[in-house]
Structures are given as structure tokens and as C-alpha cells.
Amino acid sequence: MQECIFCKIVNKEIPADVVYEDEEVLAFRDINPQAPVHVLVISKAHHSDLAAAVRADAGLVARTLAALTGIAKDLGLEETGHRVVVNTGEDGYQTVQHLHFHLLGKRRLAWPPG
Ligand code: AMP
């Protein structure tokens, strides 16, 4: 995916503040954080959204979420609580078409979301 900004981060073509990396998963701080901790957790493999990723490789989605729970623990979010968000499509306000899990924490988040 040549034009995908997150693929470029995976390929180290553009920089990111990486907090976790393994063979399949990358996590980096959001460039426009909405909370004191705001990390994006992605699979290195490109899938455009959650449904596409589940169809292609549901196990990878599960492993990405498993990594996310470890990252949440490492960042001290297990005790305080946190939120995991997947924006999908136009109504979901998805702006980057590479599946990513927002991991937000270290402030009391409102509900319902805007
Ligand atoms: P979404 O609107 O759910 O698709 O989220 C995309 C997120 O990617 C937004 O929160 C952006 O701030 C974030 N973002 C876009 N470009 C970068 C980048 N180069 N590095 C880190 N985060 C980014």
C-alpha cells in the first residue's frame, strides 16, 4: 500500500514515536493526542478496516488486541482504566484507511462520544 501513511510508518519511511513493536504489530503515539496517553495499535499488514481484517485474518486481529492489552499494562492503564476505539467508515470518522486501534487513557473520558 504505497500511499498508506501507516504503511509508511511500518516501513520506517516516515518517523513515529514507537512504543511497541513485534513481528506483526506496531504501536506508536498519535500525532494529535486526545488524552495524555493516546497510542495507535496496528498490524503491520495492511487491512483497511476491522471487517476487512477479520475476513482476511481474524487471528491477526486477535493477536493485535493481545498486544494492545500488554501495551495498556506497560503504560499503566490497567489500574486506571482506558478506552479502545476503532473508528470505521465515514460515520465513524475514520480518516486513515489502515485498521488501527486507538488506546486512550490517563484522563476521565466522557460518554457518549461526540
Ligand atoms: P482515525 O480518524 O480513527 O482514522 O484516526 C487516525 C489517527 O491517526 C488520528 O488520530 C491522527 O491524529 C493519527 N495520525 C495521522 N497521521 C499520523 C502520524 N503520522 N503519526 C501518528 N499519528 C497519526
Side-chain angles (χ1 to χ4, degrees), residues 5-6 9 14-15 28-32 38 40 87 93-96 100 102:
I5 191 162
F6 288 177
I9 290 174
I14 60 173
F28 50 93
R29 293 190 192 274
D30 196 294
I31 205 166
N32 183 23
H38 186 173
L40 302 174
N87 295 326
Y93 209 82
Q94 181 180 6
T95 60
V96 176
H100 50 283
H102 295 259

Side-chain angles (χ1 to χ4, degrees), residues 34-114:
Q34 301 302 310
V37 173
H38 186 173
V39 167
L40 302 174
V41 185
I42 68 171
S43 68
K44 290 182 173 178
H46 181 95
H47 298 289
S48 58
D49 62 21
L50 185 58
V54 167
R55 276 194 297 270
D57 192 347
L60 176 62
V61 175
R63 292 190 295 279
T64 305
L65 283 170
L68 181 151
T69 63
I71 295 162
K73 186 173 183 190
D74 289 348
L75 295 177
L77 301 182
E78 216 176 50
E79 310 79 39
T80 53
H82 55 274
R83 186 172 293 168
V84 180
V85 174
V86 183
N87 295 326
T88 305
E90 217 172 300
D91 281 356
Y93 209 82
Q94 181 180 6
T95 60
V96 176
Q97 313 308 314
H98 180 135
L99 173 62
H100 50 283
F101 296 93
H102 295 259
L103 171 61
L104 300 138
K106 293 293 179 191
R107 79 168 166 86
R108 184 62 65 93
L109 298 162
W111 192 264

Side-chain angles (χ1 to χ4, degrees), residues 1-5 7-16:
M1 279 286 151
Q2 273 177 346
E3 297 310 315
C4 173
I5 191 162
C7 286
K8 287 183 177 170
I9 290 174
V10 168
N11 294 327
K12 316 286 187 213
E13 291 168 33
I14 60 173

